[in-house]
Amino acid sequence: MKFINNRIALLVALAFFGISAAAQQIIPNTPKDSVKPVKYTAGNKLKVDGVVAVVGDYVVLDSDIDLMYKEMQAQNVPTADVTRCELIGKLMEDKLYAHQAIQDSIIVHDAEVNETMDRQIDYFVEQLGSADKMVAYFKKKSLDSFKTELFEMIKTQKLTEQMQKKIIDEVEITPEEVRQFYAKFSKEDLPVFGAEMEVAQIVIKPKISQAEKQIVIDRLKQIKKDVQDGSSFYSKAVLYSEDPGSRSSGGFYKITRKTQFVKEFKDTAFSLAEGEISDPVESEFGFHLIYVEKIRGQELDVRHILISPKVTPEALKAAKEKAESIRKKITSGEISFADAARSESDDKDTRNGGGLLMNPRTLETRFELTKMDPTIYNQVADLKNNEVSEPILDTDQRGTQSYKLLTVTNRYNEHAADYAKDYTKIKELALKEKQIKTIAKWSAEKIKDTYIKVNGEYRDCKFANNWVKK
């Protein structure tokens, strides 16, 4: 949104770091004013690392602020105009949310934290080259100590997110409030919406032969036998599962009947007894071997191993030829793109809508170009309206290949907000403003009721919140 002040946008962006800037340690049961400073090395200088703020049961260290700067720089976020006062304010906000989440009995399960931590470590290792380089980069003594701190960081971040969600979940906006929000802008100050486009697709998946399916079924049956003979299901999942979301945690998920998993998976899981392992179960993702580890009423701790049948070169070639044939029919006028998507596309999420892609952020069909998936944008940027792309080989996160045809159905130029045409977007902005005000009111009330102490020079900061309770 072009009307949003860049500096405000930068500070808001800090709230969405995947990991908060430093270990969110809980103060032990000692007097709050007796926490002694420790020494740490910053660059080539020896610096006293003291407690600069206390929020409830949490502390903010001087080194936390330095580390937050380092993380921002690592992510190429401009820091020249960001002050330490702004960063300590952000860190204190995080601590306030986490402290109140504990008071409100909000629970974050260790399995959820471990899953996020494993993904984060995989990312760091990929970026830095090795686990040893990762440990050295973050100046930790060992991988275990790094994991311990990272675990606490992520857990606190998740507490913060859940607390924020609880605060704003009940915030609603009425049509009259949307009208008033829009009316307060002068013509010159109206929000500007960037250029947008609507994109449709037809997906053709290679056919999997029964022989390839049988190979996977036999492999999973052998794994089941190995586990029944004493092997570890956890280890088998780490070694063989093709599910990137659970492989590193031994295939672990915690599910209820409302969990958004495919029907075949849930039906099988809830039909098993505790300690039982299923036969291979087919879904759109491949074949699953499901192990029910623990039953807690309507909640299950399950582990699974996912293996997908391999696509043969012949099947992939046939899928491309089918996509080319469909494209010829569309370009010749024999059938429309939308009708072809409804009758031929293998993507169940888009075919009923004529192939139109849904923007997951707005739940509309329009994509703002600056926020569009770069891969999709590059594939459609040069297409004219209603021109159909050549078949594009696509590989998803699980390594599954398919061919797709893309077309741009509509383009919308950059324009000032129009109440009638852009009502949904204006409503979204009005709701966000109301949510921000709700959070500000909540923060002001909790600050009054929470033990907060700001030390030293930071007491002179001009905070957005009344942290020093003047």
Side-chain angles (χ1 to χ4, degrees):
M1 301 301 305
K2 291 198 171 182
F3 76 100
I4 295 179
N5 180 276
N6 287 336
R7 183 162 179 74
I8 294 175
L10 170 62
L11 296 177
V12 169
L14 297 180
F16 297 97
F17 275 157
I19 299 175
S20 57
Q24 316 299 312
Q25 61 192 89
I26 295 181
I27 300 175
N29 293 323
T30 57
K32 291 183 170 63
D33 291 331
S34 68
V35 182
K36 295 184 178 180
V38 296
K39 294 182 178 180
Y40 79 107
T41 300
N44 294 320
K45 297 179 180 179
L46 193 64
K47 184 176 179 180
V48 174
D49 184 20
V51 174
V52 296
V54 178
V55 180
D57 292 328
Y58 289 85
V59 299
V60 179
L61 302 176
D62 206 28
S63 60
D64 294 349
I65 304 171
D66 294 334
L67 185 55
M68 195 170 190
Y69 265 118
K70 184 176 181 181
E71 288 190 356
M72 291 171 64
Q73 290 166 345
Q75 298 184 38
N76 297 316
V77 177
T79 59
D81 296 328
V82 179
T83 68
R84 295 181 74 82
C85 286
E86 290 168 338
L87 294 189
I88 190 178
K90 172 63 180 66
L91 290 169
M92 292 177 71
E93 287 177 14
D94 288 347
K95 302 296 195 296
L96 181 65
Y97 289 125
H99 171 76
Q100 192 60 45
I102 293 174
Q103 310 309 307
D104 289 3
S105 301
I106 291 176
I107 296 173
V108 172
H109 294 289
D110 287 356
E112 180 186 356
V113 178
N114 281 323
E115 182 182 336
T116 301
M117 182 176 70
D118 289 339
R119 288 200 304 268
Q120 191 67 53
I121 287 176
D122 288 345
Y123 172 78
F124 286 149
V125 170
E126 181 182 348
Q127 295 298 309
L128 299 173
S130 70
D132 289 341
K133 290 181 179 179
M134 173 185 69
V135 172
Y137 177 82
F138 286 100
K139 295 182 171 61
K140 303 304 173 186
K141 293 181 179 179
S142 66
L143 180 59
D144 286 342
S145 66
F146 176 67
K147 284 186 173 181
T148 298
E149 290 193 22
L150 187 59
F151 181 93
E152 292 303 324
M153 292 181 194
I154 295 171
K155 187 166 187 175
T156 301
Q157 183 66 24
K158 289 186 178 295
L159 285 170
T160 297
E161 290 169 357
Q162 290 196 31
M163 191 68 246
Q164 289 173 329
K165 184 175 184 297
K166 181 178 179 181
I167 297 168
I168 66 175
D169 261 357
E170 296 181 2
V171 178
E172 297 180 344
I173 196 84
T174 66
E176 177 58 21
E177 287 175 314
V178 177
R179 188 196 66 77
Q180 291 175 4
F181 172 80
Y182 181 79
K184 74 181 182 180
F185 291 100
S186 66
K187 185 176 181 181
E188 294 75 19
D189 293 331
L190 282 171
V192 175
F193 296 115
E196 299 172 307
M197 65 169 60
E198 291 180 324
V199 178
Q201 68 176 10
I202 295 172
V203 177
I204 305 299
K205 297 180 180 179
K207 302 300 180 186
I208 305 295
S209 69
Q210 190 57 45
E212 291 295 329
K213 290 184 179 182
Q214 193 60 48
I215 290 173
V216 172
I217 292 171
D218 292 342
R219 188 178 179 192
L220 288 173
K221 284 183 176 180
Q222 182 59 51
I223 291 174
K224 177 180 179 180
K225 182 177 184 302
D226 291 344
V227 173
Q228 290 173 332
D229 289 342
S231 295
S232 164
F233 195 100
Y234 177 100
S235 297
K236 294 288 188 182
V238 171
L239 289 171
Y240 301 117
S241 182
E242 296 173 3
D243 175 16
S246 69
R247 180 177 57 236
S248 59
S249 60
F252 182 83
Y253 283 114
K254 191 180 293 291
I255 68 170
T256 68
R257 291 191 180 275
K258 294 183 178 180
T259 303
Q260 295 299 305
F261 277 28
V262 289
K263 183 177 185 297
E264 298 90 345
F265 188 103
K266 287 198 295 185
D267 286 351
T268 301
F270 280 96
S271 71
L272 298 173
E274 188 172 298
E276 188 177 0
I277 302 174
S278 72
D279 288 327
V281 179
E282 186 176 12
S283 78
E284 62 186 272
F285 300 107
F287 286 87
H288 309 260
L289 200 62
I290 303 171
Y291 166 50
V292 175
E293 192 170 68
K294 191 75 175 176
I295 298 177
R296 297 185 177 87
Q298 294 301 307
E299 185 178 77
L300 304 182
D301 288 355
V302 302
R303 295 187 185 276
H304 87 128
I305 296 170
L306 171 68
I307 300 179
S308 301
K310 299 302 177 279
V311 174
T312 64
E314 294 77 17
L316 196 60
K317 180 181 177 182
K320 182 178 182 181
E321 290 173 349
K322 181 178 179 180
E324 289 171 339
S325 175
I326 294 170
R327 182 178 184 277
K328 286 180 181 178
K329 291 179 180 179
I330 296 171
T331 55
S332 68
E334 184 177 339
I335 189 173
S336 69
F337 192 100
D339 286 342
R342 294 185 184 97
S343 62
E344 301 294 343
S345 181
D346 292 323
D347 182 35
K348 66 179 183 179
D349 293 330
T350 59
R351 64 187 175 206
N352 291 335
L356 278 173
L357 297 178
M358 187 71 70
N359 187 332
R361 188 180 64 84
T362 64
L363 300 182
E364 294 183 317
T365 55
R366 293 187 183 187
F367 289 83
E368 191 167 344
L369 301 192
T370 57
K371 299 176 182 178
M372 198 172 183
D373 182 328
T375 301
I376 297 177
Y377 177 77
N378 290 334
Q379 292 169 343
V380 301
D382 296 330
L383 292 178
K384 299 176 181 177
N385 283 2
N386 299 314
E387 181 182 358
V388 182
S389 72
E390 297 288 343
I392 299 170
L393 180 62
D394 183 63
T395 304
D396 65 18
Q397 292 181 340
R398 299 188 307 275
T400 304
Q401 292 183 312
S402 60
Y403 277 96
K404 63 182 180 181
L405 302 173
L406 294 172
T407 189
V408 177
T409 58
N410 279 299
R411 281 184 168 87
Y412 303 90
N413 295 327
E414 180 179 284
H415 62 283
D418 181 282
Y419 187 75
K421 295 179 181 178
D422 300 308
Y423 179 82
T424 301
K425 291 186 179 64
I426 295 168
K427 179 182 177 182
E428 181 182 345
L429 293 177
L431 178 60
K432 285 181 179 177
E433 181 183 72
K434 189 173 181 180
Q435 289 172 340
I436 290 171
K437 289 179 178 179
T438 301
I439 286 177
K441 181 180 178 182
W442 178 91
S443 297
E445 292 173 354
K446 296 304 177 185
I447 287 172
K448 290 179 182 178
D449 300 333
T450 304
Y451 176 85
I452 296 171
K453 182 181 175 86
V454 182
N455 295 326
E457 61 187 8
Y458 293 104
R459 292 183 60 82
D460 296 327
C461 288
K462 297 186 183 301
F463 293 119
N465 292 312
N466 186 25
W467 295 115
V468 296
K469 300 185 179 181
K470 291 181 179 178

